[in-house]
Amino acid sequence: MTETLLRAPIAGWLSTLDEVDDPVFAGRLMGDGFAIDPIVGELRAPADATVSHVADSAHAVTLRLVDGAELLLHVGLETVALRGAGFRTAVAPGQAVRAGDLLIAFDLDTVGRAAKDLVTPVVAPDTSVGVRVDRPGRMVAAGEPVAWIEAASSTDTTAHVGEAAQRRITVTALQGLHARPAARIVALLKPLAAEVELVRGDRRADARSTVALLTLGAGAGDVLEAHARGTDATAALDALERFAAERFGDPATAEPPTATSQGQGGGVCASPGLAVGRTLRLQLADVEVAEAGQGIAEETAELDKALRAVGAAQGSDTTGIAEAHRAILDDPALRNDAQGEIAQGASAGAAWRSALSRAAAALEGTGDPRLRERVADLHDLERQVLLALTGQTPTVPVLPPGTILIAEDLLPSQFLQLDRAALAGICTAAGGPTAHVAILAAAAGVPMIVAAGRGMLDVADGSTAILDADAARLLVDPDAAALAQAHDRIATRQTARAADLQAAETSARTADGVRIQVFANLGSVADAEAAMRAGAEGCGLLRTEFLFLDRETAPDEAEQRALYERIATALGDRPLIVRTLDIGGDKPVPYLPFADEENPALGQRGVRLSLARPDLLDAQLRAIVAGVPAARCRIMLPMVVEVAELLAVRARLDAITAELGRGVVELGVMIETPAAALLADQLAEHADFLSVGTNDLTQYALAADRGNAAVSAMVDALHPAVLRLIGMAADGARRHGRWLGVCGGLASDPRAAALLIGLGVTELSAVPAAVPAVKAAVRRTTLAQARGLAERALAARSAGEVRTLIDEAKA
């Protein structure tokens, strides 16, 4: 084991990656490391090194340290979108630097206003490398020692013939084995040595190759033969089988839209919405590359450099697209194919293009329409790597305001480069509704139609058009009446959204004046800031477990306190309800040894774990009490089933507040077990408030595991049994003058607001984006209407019947 000292590359607040509000960095998908929230605009070398790569947008730089380890320094989050604005590079690839040398200078104000966050991650992309951070949760000066990078000695990890295993694996991902589940399978097997192959019919695939897995064309319900050989063959298949039971990490539940339009411009709705504008066809020139190479070593190095650069530039998102793209770039089958071409004398560019063309042909050959949509990702990454190899800057079309973009197909990277403010809608001749660009368009709220046919490419630039993605049609040169109707519909929608957002700044009251508090569920400082912009009146649930996951040791009191302070500051003078650690056998952490549990959801989790580990409980209570002003601080206990648990924590909390000299802190309980709902009157006698967690309450009440694909559709919080438990909790709370809130998923559904109010709920805590619409829903009902709806819902026979009652009430 060799260690290299890393000095702070920038002055600011030192933290672990867990505090970075980005799943790619926080989840260590790019490697281990640390982060600094900067107070100056100068990024310096943390050690002696050679510059490997500087991002075109100047926001990131990759260094190769003296010991050979690589280090990525990334200024801010989502700063690639600034395209270099506010940044200036001081180094170039190949340049040697000493610790403390300036790498990037940037304007704190310019970047801070435009970026998602200024926090600067420093990560080692090599997964065999670890980073040991020295005392995170403190201010550091540039050049101050902050971490050690630990490069493990090389060991032989080749699979040994001897142990062989075989298993039948059912594809449980609801959209089949598409790019994101395939990428996650590759990541799952990365720490293991065994060779794993998946077989579907006459097709075979190396399970360590994303592209190879895609060529299986495996859909939901298909049964695959899994073969493994090596020292940990059984362990590899055990892990794969468990992952299959979790739908390969794929949360998708909806079927793709189908074509619904007739007439001019029929296609498929990929992202709903309505737009009026003028058409512009996207046309991009091919990237020219040399066919012949300059030698195997040189071309291999160039290709590796380009692949690293493109991988680093993928950024992050909540859709898993960046993750899937990085998996393709790291795909050993593609690299080997390209390397074979280089060995035959091809240039890096020609070799990469050839390898990607063959992979695309293989996906096309499956005949599976969803897999054929992944061909666009291969073309996208082909183009990105070729641009990196040739040093060319991607061509970004200039969009006039109100552009309806027409293209044969659109690549994800092209979409991300478009001026979103000028883009009204998109219509592509090819593509599909589950293509990654469609997911991006939906996330951005851009109406999009795909598979509209090649006739769309004949539409003249500058034509007036109505893009009605809901009806999946593009109407070119519409008459005056159609235009007027479209403008009216757009205006009505915009007015409703704007009204909801504007009114969100005021308190929520029913039409007859009953006060309902609308809070937000939070998991980070960024969530708190978004909640404030959306008009939330406070935090109804701060999930603290994200601080404890994906790390080797528990966060200490200082680290926890610092984060709670930052979130409390972001909320201003509003209340902050902090849920104590909700973790258990289904979320293993290395520093909390759990015995094997046949039913983790019924095991030592939530408050049970906290009481079993008083050291963790006391540290968390101290951090909360010290970090959040007492007048705004509320603490909430998860998975409570009886009064004794509440009283035990109350005793610890009282002792800690007295020791720290703080005022009284309110203590509440979550109603997420049937036991807690049934005993709500007893709990309310000692608790300051009650809050319903509808997600867990539903799965426990209906005996249906929400993570089990076979029964997850049954987990519906509108089931009358769940509603009756909520009603019992409200009765128990009311008996002792306590308030009852709902912080589970049902509170984020505006359609359910009136029903919950009718059941006796007086506080709703939703995801930040849903706050304006939930407040608007509160204002549309009266208490009498809400109670009448609740009475009918409690007498219903199914969740479907309840939904019908809600729809009828709205009408």
Side-chain angles (χ1 to χ4, degrees), residues 359-413:
L363 290 184
E364 289 277 9
T366 65
D368 187 319
R370 290 187 181 177
L371 291 181
R372 292 172 70 177
E373 290 174 15
R374 300 288 82 81
V375 171
D377 294 297
L378 295 180
H379 289 323
D380 194 354
L381 293 171
E382 174 191 325
R383 184 178 183 84
Q384 290 185 58
V385 171
L386 294 184
L387 288 170
L389 283 168
T390 58
Q392 299 180 46
T393 302
T395 302
V396 181
V398 177
L399 305 184
T403 292
I404 294 178
L405 195 67
I406 294 179
E408 181 169 354
D409 205 350
L410 192 64
L411 305 179
S413 63

Short mmCIF file of all heavy atoms in Angstrom, two decimals, residues 359-413:
data_model
loop_
_atom_site.label_atom_id
_atom_site.label_comp_id
_atom_site.label_asym_id
_atom_site.label_seq_id
_atom_site.Cartn_x
_atom_site.Cartn_y
_atom_site.Cartn_z
N ALA A 359 -21.17 -2.47 -32.97
CA ALA A 359 -22.05 -2.60 -31.82
C ALA A 359 -23.46 -2.12 -32.15
O ALA A 359 -24.46 -2.74 -31.77
CB ALA A 359 -21.50 -1.82 -30.64
N ALA A 360 -23.55 -1.02 -32.90
CA ALA A 360 -24.86 -0.50 -33.29
C ALA A 360 -25.59 -1.48 -34.19
O ALA A 360 -26.80 -1.70 -34.05
CB ALA A 360 -24.69 0.84 -34.00
N ALA A 361 -24.85 -2.10 -35.11
CA ALA A 361 -25.46 -3.10 -36.01
C ALA A 361 -25.98 -4.28 -35.22
O ALA A 361 -27.04 -4.85 -35.53
CB ALA A 361 -24.44 -3.54 -37.05
N ALA A 362 -25.24 -4.66 -34.16
CA ALA A 362 -25.69 -5.79 -33.34
C ALA A 362 -26.99 -5.45 -32.63
O ALA A 362 -27.90 -6.29 -32.53
CB ALA A 362 -24.61 -6.15 -32.32
N LEU A 363 -27.12 -4.22 -32.12
CA LEU A 363 -28.36 -3.82 -31.46
C LEU A 363 -29.51 -3.73 -32.46
O LEU A 363 -30.64 -4.14 -32.17
CB LEU A 363 -28.18 -2.48 -30.75
CG LEU A 363 -27.28 -2.47 -29.51
CD1 LEU A 363 -27.30 -1.08 -28.88
CD2 LEU A 363 -27.73 -3.50 -28.49
N GLU A 364 -29.23 -3.19 -33.63
CA GLU A 364 -30.26 -3.13 -34.67
C GLU A 364 -30.74 -4.54 -35.02
O GLU A 364 -31.92 -4.77 -35.26
CB GLU A 364 -29.70 -2.45 -35.93
CG GLU A 364 -29.46 -0.95 -35.77
CD GLU A 364 -30.73 -0.14 -35.98
OE1 GLU A 364 -31.81 -0.74 -36.07
OE2 GLU A 364 -30.61 1.11 -36.04
N GLY A 365 -29.80 -5.48 -35.01
CA GLY A 365 -30.13 -6.84 -35.41
C GLY A 365 -31.00 -7.59 -34.44
O GLY A 365 -31.55 -8.64 -34.78
N THR A 366 -31.14 -7.08 -33.20
CA THR A 366 -32.01 -7.77 -32.24
C THR A 366 -33.47 -7.66 -32.63
O THR A 366 -34.28 -8.50 -32.23
CB THR A 366 -31.84 -7.17 -30.82
OG1 THR A 366 -32.30 -5.82 -30.83
CG2 THR A 366 -30.39 -7.23 -30.37
N GLY A 367 -33.82 -6.61 -33.39
CA GLY A 367 -35.23 -6.40 -33.76
C GLY A 367 -36.06 -5.82 -32.64
O GLY A 367 -37.24 -5.54 -32.82
N ASP A 368 -35.45 -5.64 -31.46
CA ASP A 368 -36.17 -5.08 -30.32
C ASP A 368 -36.21 -3.57 -30.45
O ASP A 368 -35.17 -2.91 -30.45
CB ASP A 368 -35.44 -5.47 -29.02
CG ASP A 368 -36.22 -5.07 -27.77
OD1 ASP A 368 -36.79 -3.96 -27.76
OD2 ASP A 368 -36.25 -5.86 -26.81
N PRO A 369 -37.40 -2.96 -30.55
CA PRO A 369 -37.48 -1.50 -30.76
C PRO A 369 -36.83 -0.70 -29.64
O PRO A 369 -36.26 0.35 -29.88
CB PRO A 369 -38.98 -1.23 -30.87
CG PRO A 369 -39.65 -2.42 -30.27
CD PRO A 369 -38.75 -3.57 -30.52
N ARG A 370 -36.92 -1.18 -28.41
CA ARG A 370 -36.31 -0.43 -27.32
C ARG A 370 -34.79 -0.48 -27.39
O ARG A 370 -34.11 0.51 -27.12
CB ARG A 370 -36.79 -0.97 -25.97
CG ARG A 370 -38.25 -0.65 -25.70
CD ARG A 370 -38.64 -1.04 -24.29
NE ARG A 370 -40.03 -0.74 -24.05
CZ ARG A 370 -40.66 -1.02 -22.93
NH1 ARG A 370 -40.02 -1.60 -21.95
NH2 ARG A 370 -41.94 -0.74 -22.78
N LEU A 371 -34.25 -1.64 -27.75
CA LEU A 371 -32.80 -1.72 -27.87
C LEU A 371 -32.31 -0.93 -29.07
O LEU A 371 -31.22 -0.35 -29.04
CB LEU A 371 -32.36 -3.18 -27.99
CG LEU A 371 -32.55 -4.03 -26.72
CD1 LEU A 371 -32.07 -5.45 -26.95
CD2 LEU A 371 -31.80 -3.40 -25.56
N ARG A 372 -33.13 -0.87 -30.12
CA ARG A 372 -32.74 -0.07 -31.28
C ARG A 372 -32.67 1.41 -30.91
O ARG A 372 -31.90 2.17 -31.50
CB ARG A 372 -33.71 -0.31 -32.42
CG ARG A 372 -33.60 -1.74 -32.98
CD ARG A 372 -34.69 -2.04 -33.99
NE ARG A 372 -34.49 -1.31 -35.23
CZ ARG A 372 -35.29 -1.46 -36.28
NH1 ARG A 372 -36.30 -2.30 -36.24
NH2 ARG A 372 -35.06 -0.77 -37.38
N GLU A 373 -33.46 1.82 -29.90
CA GLU A 373 -33.37 3.21 -29.43
C GLU A 373 -32.02 3.49 -28.78
O GLU A 373 -31.57 4.63 -28.74
CB GLU A 373 -34.50 3.50 -28.44
CG GLU A 373 -35.87 3.54 -29.09
CD GLU A 373 -36.99 3.69 -28.08
OE1 GLU A 373 -36.69 4.05 -26.92
OE2 GLU A 373 -38.15 3.45 -28.44
N ARG A 374 -31.36 2.47 -28.25
CA ARG A 374 -30.05 2.66 -27.63
C ARG A 374 -28.96 2.89 -28.66
O ARG A 374 -27.86 3.32 -28.32
CB ARG A 374 -29.68 1.44 -26.78
CG ARG A 374 -30.64 1.12 -25.65
CD ARG A 374 -30.55 2.12 -24.51
NE ARG A 374 -31.31 3.35 -24.72
CZ ARG A 374 -32.60 3.47 -24.51
NH1 ARG A 374 -33.32 2.46 -24.10
NH2 ARG A 374 -33.20 4.62 -24.72
N VAL A 375 -29.24 2.61 -29.94
CA VAL A 375 -28.27 2.89 -30.99
C VAL A 375 -27.92 4.37 -31.00
O VAL A 375 -26.77 4.76 -31.28
CB VAL A 375 -28.81 2.42 -32.36
CG1 VAL A 375 -27.90 2.91 -33.49
CG2 VAL A 375 -28.92 0.91 -32.39
N ALA A 376 -28.88 5.22 -30.68
CA ALA A 376 -28.62 6.65 -30.64
C ALA A 376 -27.54 6.98 -29.62
O ALA A 376 -26.71 7.88 -29.82
CB ALA A 376 -29.90 7.42 -30.32
N ASP A 377 -27.51 6.24 -28.49
CA ASP A 377 -26.47 6.48 -27.49
C ASP A 377 -25.09 6.12 -28.05
O ASP A 377 -24.11 6.82 -27.78
CB ASP A 377 -26.75 5.66 -26.24
CG ASP A 377 -28.01 6.11 -25.53
OD1 ASP A 377 -28.05 7.26 -25.07
OD2 ASP A 377 -28.97 5.32 -25.45
N LEU A 378 -25.03 5.03 -28.82
CA LEU A 378 -23.75 4.65 -29.41
C LEU A 378 -23.29 5.70 -30.41
O LEU A 378 -22.10 6.08 -30.44
CB LEU A 378 -23.87 3.29 -30.09
CG LEU A 378 -24.16 2.10 -29.16
CD1 LEU A 378 -24.25 0.81 -29.97
CD2 LEU A 378 -23.10 1.96 -28.09
N HIS A 379 -24.19 6.19 -31.26
CA HIS A 379 -23.83 7.24 -32.20
C HIS A 379 -23.39 8.51 -31.46
O HIS A 379 -22.46 9.21 -31.90
CB HIS A 379 -25.01 7.55 -33.13
CG HIS A 379 -25.30 6.46 -34.11
ND1 HIS A 379 -24.33 5.71 -34.71
CD2 HIS A 379 -26.48 5.99 -34.62
CE1 HIS A 379 -24.87 4.83 -35.53
NE2 HIS A 379 -26.19 4.98 -35.49
N ASP A 380 -24.07 8.80 -30.36
CA ASP A 380 -23.73 9.98 -29.58
C ASP A 380 -22.31 9.86 -29.04
O ASP A 380 -21.48 10.79 -29.17
CB ASP A 380 -24.72 10.12 -28.42
CG ASP A 380 -24.65 11.48 -27.75
OD1 ASP A 380 -23.76 12.27 -28.11
OD2 ASP A 380 -25.48 11.75 -26.87
N LEU A 381 -21.99 8.73 -28.43
CA LEU A 381 -20.67 8.56 -27.85
C LEU A 381 -19.59 8.42 -28.93
O LEU A 381 -18.44 8.81 -28.71
CB LEU A 381 -20.67 7.35 -26.91
CG LEU A 381 -21.54 7.56 -25.66
CD1 LEU A 381 -21.67 6.27 -24.89
CD2 LEU A 381 -20.96 8.65 -24.77
N GLU A 382 -19.96 7.88 -30.07
CA GLU A 382 -19.02 7.85 -31.19
C GLU A 382 -18.62 9.28 -31.54
O GLU A 382 -17.43 9.60 -31.66
CB GLU A 382 -19.65 7.16 -32.40
CG GLU A 382 -18.79 7.21 -33.66
CD GLU A 382 -19.53 6.76 -34.88
OE1 GLU A 382 -20.38 5.85 -34.78
OE2 GLU A 382 -19.29 7.33 -35.97
N ARG A 383 -19.62 10.13 -31.70
CA ARG A 383 -19.35 11.52 -32.10
C ARG A 383 -18.56 12.26 -31.02
O ARG A 383 -17.62 13.01 -31.32
CB ARG A 383 -20.68 12.22 -32.39
CG ARG A 383 -20.51 13.65 -32.92
CD ARG A 383 -21.85 14.29 -33.24
NE ARG A 383 -21.66 15.62 -33.81
CZ ARG A 383 -21.42 15.84 -35.10
NH1 ARG A 383 -21.36 14.82 -35.95
NH2 ARG A 383 -21.24 17.08 -35.54
N GLN A 384 -18.94 12.10 -29.76
CA GLN A 384 -18.24 12.80 -28.68
C GLN A 384 -16.76 12.41 -28.62
O GLN A 384 -15.89 13.27 -28.44
CB GLN A 384 -18.91 12.50 -27.34
CG GLN A 384 -20.28 13.13 -27.17
CD GLN A 384 -20.83 12.89 -25.78
OE1 GLN A 384 -20.21 13.27 -24.79
NE2 GLN A 384 -21.99 12.26 -25.70
N VAL A 385 -16.46 11.12 -28.75
CA VAL A 385 -15.07 10.67 -28.69
C VAL A 385 -14.30 11.17 -29.90
O VAL A 385 -13.14 11.59 -29.79
CB VAL A 385 -15.01 9.14 -28.56
CG1 VAL A 385 -13.57 8.64 -28.70
CG2 VAL A 385 -15.58 8.70 -27.22
N LEU A 386 -14.93 11.13 -31.08
CA LEU A 386 -14.23 11.61 -32.27
C LEU A 386 -13.93 13.11 -32.16
O LEU A 386 -12.86 13.58 -32.59
CB LEU A 386 -15.07 11.34 -33.52
CG LEU A 386 -15.28 9.86 -33.88
CD1 LEU A 386 -16.04 9.73 -35.19
CD2 LEU A 386 -13.96 9.12 -33.97
N LEU A 387 -14.85 13.87 -31.60
CA LEU A 387 -14.60 15.30 -31.39
C LEU A 387 -13.44 15.50 -30.42
O LEU A 387 -12.59 16.39 -30.61
CB LEU A 387 -15.85 15.99 -30.88
CG LEU A 387 -16.99 16.18 -31.88
CD1 LEU A 387 -18.26 16.66 -31.17
CD2 LEU A 387 -16.61 17.16 -32.98
N ALA A 388 -13.40 14.68 -29.36
CA ALA A 388 -12.31 14.79 -28.40
C ALA A 388 -10.96 14.43 -29.04
O ALA A 388 -9.94 15.06 -28.77
CB ALA A 388 -12.58 13.89 -27.19
N LEU A 389 -10.97 13.42 -29.91
CA LEU A 389 -9.73 13.00 -30.58
C LEU A 389 -9.21 14.06 -31.53
O LEU A 389 -8.00 14.25 -31.66
CB LEU A 389 -9.98 11.69 -31.34
CG LEU A 389 -10.04 10.41 -30.50
CD1 LEU A 389 -10.58 9.26 -31.33
CD2 LEU A 389 -8.67 10.06 -29.94
N THR A 390 -10.12 14.74 -32.21
CA THR A 390 -9.70 15.73 -33.22
C THR A 390 -9.57 17.14 -32.65
O THR A 390 -9.15 18.06 -33.35
CB THR A 390 -10.71 15.75 -34.38
OG1 THR A 390 -12.02 16.06 -33.87
CG2 THR A 390 -10.76 14.40 -35.09
N GLY A 391 -9.96 17.30 -31.37
CA GLY A 391 -9.86 18.62 -30.76
C GLY A 391 -10.89 19.60 -31.26
O GLY A 391 -10.75 20.81 -31.06
N GLN A 392 -11.94 19.11 -31.90
CA GLN A 392 -12.97 20.00 -32.42
C GLN A 392 -14.00 20.34 -31.34
O GLN A 392 -14.26 19.55 -30.44
CB GLN A 392 -13.68 19.35 -33.61
CG GLN A 392 -12.77 19.04 -34.79
CD GLN A 392 -13.54 18.40 -35.92
OE1 GLN A 392 -14.62 18.84 -36.29
NE2 GLN A 392 -12.98 17.33 -36.48
N THR A 393 -14.56 21.50 -31.46
CA THR A 393 -15.63 21.93 -30.56
C THR A 393 -16.98 21.55 -31.16
O THR A 393 -17.21 21.78 -32.35
CB THR A 393 -15.59 23.45 -30.35
OG1 THR A 393 -14.30 23.80 -29.83
CG2 THR A 393 -16.67 23.90 -29.38
N PRO A 394 -17.86 20.93 -30.38
CA PRO A 394 -19.17 20.56 -30.93
C PRO A 394 -19.90 21.76 -31.51
O PRO A 394 -19.87 22.86 -30.94
CB PRO A 394 -19.92 20.01 -29.70
CG PRO A 394 -18.84 19.63 -28.75
CD PRO A 394 -17.71 20.57 -28.97
N THR A 395 -20.53 21.56 -32.65
CA THR A 395 -21.31 22.62 -33.29
C THR A 395 -22.66 22.75 -32.60
O THR A 395 -23.41 21.78 -32.50
CB THR A 395 -21.51 22.32 -34.78
OG1 THR A 395 -20.23 22.16 -35.40
CG2 THR A 395 -22.26 23.45 -35.46
N VAL A 396 -22.94 23.94 -32.11
CA VAL A 396 -24.21 24.18 -31.42
C VAL A 396 -25.07 25.10 -32.28
O VAL A 396 -24.68 26.23 -32.56
CB VAL A 396 -23.98 24.82 -30.04
CG1 VAL A 396 -25.32 25.04 -29.33
CG2 VAL A 396 -23.05 23.97 -29.20
N PRO A 397 -26.22 24.61 -32.75
CA PRO A 397 -27.06 25.47 -33.60
C PRO A 397 -27.61 26.66 -32.82
O PRO A 397 -27.95 26.54 -31.64
CB PRO A 397 -28.18 24.53 -34.04
CG PRO A 397 -28.25 23.48 -32.98
CD PRO A 397 -26.84 23.30 -32.50
N VAL A 398 -27.69 27.79 -33.48
CA VAL A 398 -28.29 28.98 -32.87
C VAL A 398 -29.80 28.91 -33.09
O VAL A 398 -30.26 28.86 -34.24
CB VAL A 398 -27.72 30.27 -33.50
CG1 VAL A 398 -28.41 31.49 -32.90
CG2 VAL A 398 -26.21 30.33 -33.26
N LEU A 399 -30.55 28.87 -32.01
CA LEU A 399 -32.01 28.74 -32.11
C LEU A 399 -32.68 30.09 -31.96
O LEU A 399 -32.50 30.76 -30.94
CB LEU A 399 -32.53 27.79 -31.03
CG LEU A 399 -31.94 26.39 -30.95
CD1 LEU A 399 -32.67 25.58 -29.88
CD2 LEU A 399 -32.01 25.68 -32.29
N PRO A 400 -33.46 30.50 -32.94
CA PRO A 400 -34.30 31.68 -32.74
C PRO A 400 -35.34 31.38 -31.66
O PRO A 400 -35.70 30.23 -31.43
CB PRO A 400 -34.97 31.88 -34.10
CG PRO A 400 -34.15 31.08 -35.07
CD PRO A 400 -33.61 29.93 -34.29
N PRO A 401 -35.82 32.41 -30.96
CA PRO A 401 -36.85 32.17 -29.94
C PRO A 401 -38.06 31.43 -30.52
O PRO A 401 -38.49 31.73 -31.63
CB PRO A 401 -37.22 33.58 -29.47
CG PRO A 401 -35.99 34.40 -29.77
CD PRO A 401 -35.42 33.82 -31.02
N GLY A 402 -38.59 30.48 -29.76
CA GLY A 402 -39.77 29.75 -30.21
C GLY A 402 -39.49 28.72 -31.27
O GLY A 402 -40.35 28.43 -32.11
N THR A 403 -38.30 28.10 -31.24
CA THR A 403 -37.94 27.11 -32.26
C THR A 403 -38.58 25.76 -31.98
O THR A 403 -38.51 25.25 -30.84
CB THR A 403 -36.41 26.94 -32.32
OG1 THR A 403 -35.82 28.14 -32.82
CG2 THR A 403 -36.03 25.78 -33.24
N ILE A 404 -39.18 25.19 -33.01
CA ILE A 404 -39.58 23.78 -32.97
C ILE A 404 -38.54 23.04 -33.80
O ILE A 404 -38.48 23.18 -35.02
CB ILE A 404 -40.99 23.58 -33.53
CG1 ILE A 404 -42.01 24.25 -32.60
CG2 ILE A 404 -41.30 22.09 -33.68
CD1 ILE A 404 -43.44 24.16 -33.10
N LEU A 405 -37.68 22.30 -33.11
CA LEU A 405 -36.54 21.67 -33.76
C LEU A 405 -36.97 20.36 -34.42
O LEU A 405 -37.64 19.53 -33.80
CB LEU A 405 -35.45 21.39 -32.73
CG LEU A 405 -34.07 21.05 -33.28
CD1 LEU A 405 -33.47 22.25 -33.99
CD2 LEU A 405 -33.15 20.58 -32.15
N ILE A 406 -36.57 20.20 -35.69
CA ILE A 406 -36.86 18.98 -36.43
C ILE A 406 -35.54 18.30 -36.75
O ILE A 406 -34.57 18.96 -37.16
CB ILE A 406 -37.64 19.28 -37.72
CG1 ILE A 406 -39.03 19.83 -37.36
CG2 ILE A 406 -37.77 18.04 -38.58
CD1 ILE A 406 -39.87 20.19 -38.57
N ALA A 407 -35.47 17.00 -36.53
CA ALA A 407 -34.23 16.27 -36.80
C ALA A 407 -34.57 14.83 -37.15
O ALA A 407 -35.64 14.32 -36.81
CB ALA A 407 -33.31 16.30 -35.59
N GLU A 408 -33.65 14.18 -37.85
CA GLU A 408 -33.84 12.75 -38.11
C GLU A 408 -33.86 12.02 -36.78
O GLU A 408 -34.68 11.15 -36.53
CB GLU A 408 -32.73 12.21 -39.00
CG GLU A 408 -32.90 10.72 -39.31
CD GLU A 408 -31.96 10.25 -40.38
OE1 GLU A 408 -31.24 11.06 -40.98
OE2 GLU A 408 -31.97 9.03 -40.65
N ASP A 409 -32.92 12.36 -35.92
CA ASP A 409 -32.89 11.89 -34.54
C ASP A 409 -32.09 12.92 -33.75
O ASP A 409 -31.44 13.79 -34.33
CB ASP A 409 -32.23 10.50 -34.43
CG ASP A 409 -32.70 9.73 -33.19
OD1 ASP A 409 -33.37 10.35 -32.33
OD2 ASP A 409 -32.41 8.53 -33.08
N LEU A 410 -32.15 12.87 -32.46
CA LEU A 410 -31.44 13.84 -31.64
C LEU A 410 -30.66 13.08 -30.58
O LEU A 410 -31.21 12.21 -29.90
CB LEU A 410 -32.43 14.81 -30.98
CG LEU A 410 -31.84 16.05 -30.32
CD1 LEU A 410 -31.17 16.95 -31.37
CD2 LEU A 410 -32.93 16.83 -29.60
N LEU A 411 -29.38 13.41 -30.44
CA LEU A 411 -28.53 12.75 -29.47
C LEU A 411 -28.63 13.45 -28.12
O LEU A 411 -28.86 14.67 -28.05
CB LEU A 411 -27.08 12.76 -29.94
CG LEU A 411 -26.82 12.18 -31.33
CD1 LEU A 411 -25.35 12.28 -31.68
CD2 LEU A 411 -27.29 10.73 -31.40
N PRO A 412 -28.47 12.72 -27.01
CA PRO A 412 -28.54 13.37 -25.70
C PRO A 412 -27.59 14.54 -25.55
O PRO A 412 -27.95 15.59 -25.01
CB PRO A 412 -28.18 12.22 -24.73
CG PRO A 412 -28.62 10.99 -25.46
CD PRO A 412 -28.32 11.26 -26.91
N SER A 413 -26.34 14.38 -26.02
CA SER A 413 -25.38 15.48 -25.89
C SER A 413 -25.81 16.69 -26.69
O SER A 413 -25.58 17.84 -26.29
CB SER A 413 -23.99 15.02 -26.34
OG SER A 413 -24.00 14.67 -27.71
#
